[in-house]
């Protein structure tokens, strides 16, 4: 919502707090639980993006409490492109997963590349914000649907199982 300019910039403190704890720490814990369950892909994804959010939150905090210079725009672009490539590679891993997982990773891939392009273009940055809202909403739906389906013991909420495995 912030990147889409739907909320005021002074909400960044709230975003950083929840980014650090829910986006960061909770995802790292979820990743460890996924590894325990034998889901290496889920473990890698959750812990990696949890680390992303913890690092992002720490960066934002350091920019406020220290006299460090912010990184160059080129540095930010490279950082976002690297995450876009990592996410694209993860997307390939979702090709045997359900359709909603595929959509989450496809939209997250687009989001990182749009954020990279948006570093030097305000309109693309705003577009990235809307893609982020769609991506985040689909991830929330996926988490809710998986819990509901498990509780029901059947596919109560559509997630689009894949019938023909790619690999």
């Amino acid at each position: 919502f912030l990147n889409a300019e739907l909320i005021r910039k002074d909400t960044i403190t709230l975003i950083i707090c929840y980014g650090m704890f829910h986006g960061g720490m909770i995802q790292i814990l979820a990743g460890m639980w996924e590894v325990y369950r034998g889901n290496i892909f889920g473990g890698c994804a959750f812990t990696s993006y949890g680390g992303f959010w913890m690092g992002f939150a720490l960066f934002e905090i350091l920019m406020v409490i220290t006299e460090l210079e912010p990184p160059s725009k080129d540095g930010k672009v490279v950082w976002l492109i690297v995450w876009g490539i990592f996410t694209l590679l993860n997307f390939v891993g979702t090709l045997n997963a359900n359709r909603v997982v595929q959509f989450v990773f496809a939209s997250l891939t687009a989001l990182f590349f749009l954020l990279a392009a948006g570093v030097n273009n305000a309109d693309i940055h705003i577009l990235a914000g809307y893609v982020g809202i769609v991506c985040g909403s689909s991830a929330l739906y996926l988490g809710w649907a998986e819990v509901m389906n498990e509780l029901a013991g059947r596919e109560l909420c559509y997630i689009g199982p894949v019938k023909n495995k790619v690999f």
Side-chain angles (χ1 to χ4, degrees):
F1 293 94
L2 183 67
N3 289 337
E5 297 185 358
L6 297 175
I7 58 175
R8 293 180 5 191
K9 290 191 186 292
D10 62 1
T11 59
I12 189 71
T13 52
L14 180 64
I15 293 167
I16 294 304
C17 291
Y18 280 88
M20 178 177 273
F21 287 95
H22 192 265
M25 184 177 70
I26 298 301
Q27 282 199 69
I28 290 171
L29 291 171
M32 296 299 101
W33 292 321
E34 288 298 309
V35 169
Y36 177 78
R37 292 180 54 216
N39 181 357
I40 300 304
F41 176 81
C44 175
F46 278 118
T47 56
S48 294
Y49 296 109
F52 169 87
W53 279 106
M54 293 290 285
F56 177 74
L58 178 60
F59 167 77
E60 290 292 331
I61 291 166
L62 288 174
M63 289 296 98
V64 172
I65 67 170
T66 69
E67 295 181 21
L68 292 173
E69 292 293 319
S72 69
K73 284 187 174 188
D74 291 343
K76 191 172 182 182
V77 168
V78 169
W79 174 66
L80 290 165
I81 288 173
V82 167
W83 276 98
I85 292 168
F86 174 74
T87 305
L88 178 62
L89 295 172
N90 275 317
F91 169 73
V92 172
T94 70
L95 296 177
N96 284 347
N98 66 63
R99 299 293 185 214
V100 179
V101 169
Q102 292 173 7
F103 182 81
V104 168
F105 278 87
S107 61
L108 186 56
T109 299
L111 174 59
F112 276 118
F113 288 121
L114 285 169
L115 284 169
V119 168
N120 294 306
N121 183 308
D123 292 334
I124 294 176
H125 184 82
I126 293 169
L127 173 63
Y130 285 99
V131 171
I133 292 168
V134 170
C135 177
S137 298
S138 66
L140 287 171
Y141 171 78
L142 175 62
W144 173 77
E146 287 182 343
V147 168
M148 297 306 292
N149 291 348
E150 185 174 319
L151 289 172
R154 62 183 175 86
E155 187 178 77
L156 180 66
C157 302
Y158 178 79
I159 57 170
V162 173
K163 295 182 176 102
N164 299 317
K165 301 291 183 180
V166 176
F167 48 87

